Amino acid sequence: RKEVEQDPGPFNVPEGATVAFNCTYSNSASQSFFWYRQDCRKEPKLLMSVYSSGNEDGRFTAQLNRASQYISLLIRDSKLSDSATYLCVVSGNQGGKLIFGQGTELSVKP
Amino acid sequence: DAGVIQSPRHEVTEMGQEVTLRCKPISGHNSLFWYRQTMMRGLELLIYFNNNVPIDDSGMPEDRFSAKMPNASFSTLKIQPSEPRDSAVYFCASSPQDRATGELFFGEGSRLTVL
């Protein structure tokens, strides 16, 4: 079983749609959780951290379910510029390293 | 402000040749990470350093790979001898924290093709 698993997609959605990505992780000792965004042929960049109580940043909402070892990202009112690959990221044992999922590709169409 | 700087951006080499990738982290960051990205395996952590000391190299594929960080502003990843299966994008990232509990700042990557 991979340490971090994501649906690779692609998710093809029209502008204005709401889209949700899910991610599961295997290490119950993980303490830190993030969503990164990677544009085509570019480096990954932090989108947002994920907190236990859930958190929102504009059109983006992240949630964490520790019991189920599950993380989600919700994008509302999607824009063309949201087209990218979204990477679920989880800290490893002792928090010393970050483990990336394979990513979920999103394509927002006009 | 300068971000993480990697060189070369692109390298094409022949099987058996030595490849050296270079990274300059953001000044003041004390953790440095080397990742490799392929379509098949995604982003894999190869090794990370904290205060120039290697902390976890369990992701280094085999003895052909080696990494050094002689000082706080420079790191290298060396592959000798290179093989076609080493073709990938190699990212260097740095973090201001001792442990990767925060944001990683990535360089633009070095795209390696081994023929």
Side-chain angles (χ1 to χ4, degrees), chain B residues 44-84:
Chain B
E44 302 173 279
L45 177 66
L46 300 177
I47 185 171
Y48 82 93
F49 296 83
N50 186 34
N51 293 322
N52 312 338
V53 176
I55 302 300
D56 185 343
D57 65 355
S58 59
M60 295 287 262
E62 48 199 271
D63 292 345
R64 299 185 297 106
F65 285 69
S66 62
K68 293 182 179 180
M69 191 164 186
N71 58 62
S73 59
F74 183 66
S75 177
T76 59
L77 178 68
K78 188 174 291 188
I79 308 171
Q80 167 63 22
S82 58
E83 297 182 2

Side-chain angles (χ1 to χ4, degrees), chain A residues 2 32 34 36 38 41-46 87 91 93-102, chain B residues 33 35 37 39-43 45 48 56 58 91 99-104 106-108 111:
Chain A
K2 290 182 180 177
S32 302
F34 308 90
Y36 275 66
Q38 185 172 24
R41 300 180 77 85
K42 297 284 191 181
E43 72 274 21
K45 293 184 179 179
L46 178 67
L87 301 161
S91 65
N93 285 330
Q94 303 169 351
K97 59 186 181 183
L98 292 185
I99 300 166
F100 285 73
Q102 293 254 135
Chain B
F33 305 79
Y35 282 87
Q37 187 172 38
M39 288 291 291
M40 291 296 295
R41 301 173 69 90
L43 263 169
L45 177 66
Y48 82 93
D56 185 343
S58 59
F91 286 104
R99 297 157 77 181
T101 55
E103 182 175 3
L104 293 186
F106 283 82
E108 293 181 306
R111 185 172 297 273

Side-chain angles (χ1 to χ4, degrees), chain A residues 24-66:
Chain A
T24 57
Y25 61 95
S26 61
N27 185 355
S28 60
S30 296
Q31 294 296 318
S32 302
F33 309 90
F34 308 90
W35 283 100
Y36 275 66
R37 169 188 169 136
Q38 185 172 24
D39 292 297
C40 186
R41 300 180 77 85
K42 297 284 191 181
E43 72 274 21
K45 293 184 179 179
L46 178 67
L47 177 66
M48 60 194 301
S49 301
V50 185
Y51 302 118
S52 296
S53 54
N55 49 295
E56 190 173 304
D57 183 1
R59 298 181 293 107
F60 299 82
T61 300
Q63 295 206 310
L64 168 65
N65 184 323
R66 285 187 185 272

